[in-house]
């Protein structure tokens, strides 16, 4: 059986991580960046918070507090989810072209609310974590993703960010080998091979 595009985390369906960087994994909660076959994994605020926790951007206890706060404040949660979707698109644009002044400027704006709460967490390597002023700040997941995205676009490896050319995909990833083309050869790569084979067969006929 072919590997699924998704995984289940705490009862929620999220995209299988293939990007190699947490900021890019947020981008990959949406597919169809080319305008075809669009689908979105960020169905609820719970999906956003759980994703941030799964990628180790927020502590597990904070994720649970945020989810409870979101359930108490559905309108605020909807606004926070909408902001996350905006940040997601900004991250994609800035990561694919860090010379794009508009995209980088928008990412700068997105990081400002994170700046007062960001901390370096010790480790090998150390990592950024957005602690936040209030444990109930529903923008904390977006802030965390924006901050690690801003860190990525300042590093040389941003030159290795690629977008999958698969129809209805557009997922992004770090091409560490210099030879990677697809988000996954098992998904978009194989579908492209099947389409190419079908086109060759039709042309011969």
């Amino acid at each position: 059986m072919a590997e699924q595009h998704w995984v289940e985390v705490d009862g929620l369906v999220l995209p299988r991580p293939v990007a190699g960087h947490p900021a890019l994994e947020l981008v990959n909660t949406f597919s169809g960046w080319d305008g075809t076959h669009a689908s979105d994994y960020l169905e609820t605020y719970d999906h956003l918070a759980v994703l941030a926790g799964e990628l180790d951007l927020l502590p597990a206890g904070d994720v649970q507090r945020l989810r409870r706060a979101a359930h108490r404040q559905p309108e605020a949660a909807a606004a926070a989810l909408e902001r996350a979707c905006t940040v997601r698109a900004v991250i994609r644009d800035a990561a694919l072209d860090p010379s794009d002044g508009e995209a980088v400027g928008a990412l700068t704006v997105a990081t400002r609310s994170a700046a007062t709460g960001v901390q370096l967490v010790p480790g090998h390597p150390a990592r950024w974590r957005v602690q936040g002023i209030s444990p109930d700040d529903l923008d904390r997941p977006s802030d965390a993703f924006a901050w690690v995205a801003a860190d990525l676009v300042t590093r040389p490896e941003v030159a290795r960010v690629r977008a999958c050319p698969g129809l209805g995909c557009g997922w992004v990833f770090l091409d560490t080998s210099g030879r990677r083309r697809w988000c996954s050869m098992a998904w978009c790569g194989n579908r492209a091979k099947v389409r190419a084979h079908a086109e060759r067969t039709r042309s011969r006929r």
Side-chain angles (χ1 to χ4, degrees), residues 61-78:
D62 289 1
V63 170
Q64 294 307 315
R65 281 192 290 272
L66 287 169
R67 293 177 72 180
R68 290 193 294 269
H71 293 167
R72 293 193 302 269
Q73 308 169 70
E75 291 185 4

Side-chain angles (χ1 to χ4, degrees), residues 90-115:
V90 165
I91 290 173
R92 186 177 192 271
D93 289 344
L96 286 171
D97 184 6
S99 67
D100 181 339
E102 183 177 350
V104 171
L107 183 56
T108 300
V109 171
T111 63
R112 285 178 181 157
S113 60

Side-chain angles (χ1 to χ4, degrees), residues 19 21-36 84-100 102-104 106-107 110 145-146 148-150 152-153 158 160-173 181 183:
H21 191 280
L24 304 182
E25 301 295 1
L26 175 66
V27 174
N28 294 350
T29 58
F30 183 83
S31 58
W33 290 99
D34 60 359
T36 61
C85 293
T86 300
V87 168
R88 176 176 64 185
V90 165
I91 290 173
R92 186 177 192 271
D93 289 344
L96 286 171
D97 184 6
S99 67
D100 181 339
E102 183 177 350
V104 171
L107 183 56
F145 281 113
V148 293
L152 172 63
V153 300
V158 73
R160 293 185 175 273
V161 176
R162 305 282 184 267
C164 178
L167 183 66
C169 185
W171 278 14
V172 290
F173 52 86
R181 184 181 181 193
C183 62

Side-chain angles (χ1 to χ4, degrees), residues 171-192:
W171 278 14
V172 290
F173 52 86
L174 280 175
D175 177 17
T176 55
S177 69
R179 299 184 300 274
R180 184 176 172 187
R181 184 181 181 193
W182 310 99
C183 62
S184 169
M185 191 63 207
W187 310 332
C188 288
N190 278 341
R191 284 200 294 268

